[in-house]
Amino acid sequence: MLQKFRDKLFIPAWLPYEDKRAMYKKSKSQELLSHPVVVNVGTEDAVDNYTLRPMHIADAPSNSEVARVIRLLKTEEDWKSLIPFLSGLHASKRDLTPHTTEMLIRRAGDLGMEAHVLQAVAQARRTGLLMRNADFTRTLLFAIRLKAEKAGFKGPDVHLALGQAKELVRLLNSPEHTHPVAEKDPKRLPSVIGMLLELKAAYTMDAFKGRDEDQGVRSYANKLISTWPLEKFTVPSEWPTANWRLRTYVPLWHGMDLALRVEEIKAQPDIRQGLEARRDEFAKAVESCLQTVDKHRQEVTHTVSWTKSLLHK
């Protein structure tokens, strides 16, 4: 698959105009077949010969093939191909679609390979992997925090997740990852800040027995309270959307709940009361989403049971 992208998209996109014209112009096809032209796409020291051949624009790999390559990434060695692959796509003006971008991030999180996506974000000008879209940022943060959740928010995985989350926030401050509209800028949104608060509060509870040694929990809590009006938390009526929304809602609620157990937050009435009010109000949205998803689960369970009863009559 990677060879196909190299031969039919990456190299043709980088060739000089005259070479491209020879490949894609129909009247030149027979001439190319009769008199093959070989060009060096490497360097003087590392020659890499490429034979120009008749080609149609439709010969380039499709978006579904881009997604297929990502689904084939499994091992650590496989994932080392991610940045070169994304760089080739970006240079060929074929950046990932939003759907494929989210699929890439979710898959990386499921396989514990989110560090490779973080590296691609750090090289956004080369890879084209931008975080201006808040959905991308939330999905990547969720993938990062997943290791902490699996560890019960205790131990070294919490520290690792917090470090990666802080690195993502640092990257979000760069111009290429900043959305010009405040209500859409990921680093300003409560749903993003809430995941940072969750990880920081969890680390504080685990490593420092609830003492906010560097005032990090307090800082995130203040940001969360002040940015709360920027985001509207709705409850979808469709179960797939509600199920997906829980990935955003639960970490935010859990972050506020954990922060309220930190000693310095308990000792600050204004912050404590602000978090309590938002946590209790937000719990209703979480509960409504859960009810929607649970209703669907029960319906599916009933359908499966009924179908099995028919099959085994």
Side-chain angles (χ1 to χ4, degrees):
M1 288 294 293
L2 291 176
Q3 189 67 38
K4 179 177 181 179
F5 274 87
R6 179 182 184 273
D7 291 345
K8 295 192 174 182
L9 179 62
F10 299 165
I11 292 177
W14 296 336
L15 289 173
Y17 172 75
E18 287 302 320
D19 289 339
K20 287 182 186 176
R21 186 169 177 271
M23 291 176 69
Y24 289 104
K25 195 171 177 62
K26 193 171 182 180
S27 60
K28 298 278 187 180
S29 297
Q30 191 56 50
E31 184 181 340
L32 266 186
L33 291 172
S34 303
H35 305 285
V37 176
V38 179
V39 297
N40 177 24
V41 295
T43 63
E44 290 184 6
D45 297 328
V47 175
D48 185 359
N49 288 327
Y50 178 81
T51 303
L52 303 188
R53 68 209 74 180
M55 200 172 289
H56 190 275
I57 194 70
D59 294 335
S62 64
N63 285 336
S64 63
E65 288 174 296
V66 174
R68 184 182 169 200
V69 167
I70 291 170
R71 285 194 292 269
L72 287 171
L73 300 176
K74 296 177 181 177
T75 67
E76 183 76 33
E77 197 63 30
D78 293 340
W79 280 87
K80 289 179 181 177
S81 301
L82 179 65
I83 288 179
F85 180 61
L86 293 181
S87 300
L89 289 174
H90 185 58
S92 307
K93 303 188 187 306
R94 280 282 303 277
D95 289 332
L96 301 181
T97 64
H99 176 77
T100 305
T101 300
E102 289 204 34
M103 186 267 283
L104 163 66
I105 299 171
R106 290 198 305 272
R107 182 165 177 76
D110 291 341
L111 296 176
M113 299 292 175
E114 64 285 341
H116 291 279
V117 177
L118 203 55
Q119 290 171 11
V121 172
Q123 301 177 50
R125 293 184 181 181
R126 178 184 167 199
T127 63
L129 194 59
L130 300 174
M131 291 288 111
R132 290 175 189 163
N133 184 323
D135 286 337
F136 298 168
T137 302
R138 283 190 288 259
T139 303
L140 182 50
L141 269 175
F142 190 89
I144 287 171
R145 68 172 287 285
L146 201 56
K147 64 172 70 69
E149 182 183 322
K150 289 178 178 177
F153 292 99
K154 295 182 183 297
D157 282 340
V158 178
H159 190 204
L160 175 59
L162 179 60
Q164 289 181 328
K166 285 182 175 180
E167 173 62 14
L168 177 57
V169 171
R170 186 187 69 78
L171 294 171
L172 291 179
N173 286 316
S174 59
E176 61 265 32
H177 297 300
T178 298
H179 199 288
V181 179
E183 291 81 359
K184 296 182 179 180
D185 189 23
K187 61 179 171 288
R188 298 171 184 264
L189 298 180
S191 56
V192 170
I193 298 168
M195 289 196 218
L196 295 162
L197 176 63
E198 178 190 37
L199 289 172
K200 181 61 179 176
Y203 181 64
T204 298
M205 295 298 295
D206 183 52
F208 301 107
K209 297 181 179 179
R211 297 189 308 276
D212 192 15
E213 297 283 344
D214 61 357
Q215 299 295 304
V217 176
R218 179 179 178 179
S219 175
Y220 285 133
N222 273 324
K223 287 178 183 176
L224 181 66
I225 292 169
S226 63
T227 60
W228 193 263
L230 291 179
E231 200 163 0
K232 292 180 174 61
F233 299 103
T234 58
V235 179
S237 56
E238 305 82 12
W239 81 265
T241 310
N243 188 49
W244 180 250
R245 198 67 56 84
L246 284 173
R247 293 167 68 97
T248 298
Y249 288 3
V250 173
L252 172 54
W253 183 91
H254 188 225
M256 290 188 284
D257 191 59
L258 281 177
L260 286 165
R261 304 178 200 177
V262 173
E263 296 301 327
E264 283 77 3
I265 300 299
K266 289 193 277 188
Q268 293 280 329
D270 53 338
I271 301 178
R272 187 189 74 245
Q273 291 168 10
L275 284 180
E276 285 175 341
R278 285 157 182 79
R279 180 198 61 180
D280 296 343
E281 169 197 337
F282 193 55
K284 297 174 184 176
V286 177
E287 181 63 30
S288 295
C289 282
L290 282 173
Q291 288 175 1
T292 300
V293 173
D294 191 50
K295 180 182 177 183
H296 172 77
R297 182 185 62 79
Q298 291 173 12
E299 290 173 350
V300 170
T301 301
H302 172 74
T303 302
V304 170
S305 300
W306 177 70
T307 305
K308 284 181 177 179
S309 70
L310 291 177
L311 292 173
H312 294 93
K313 274 187 176 180

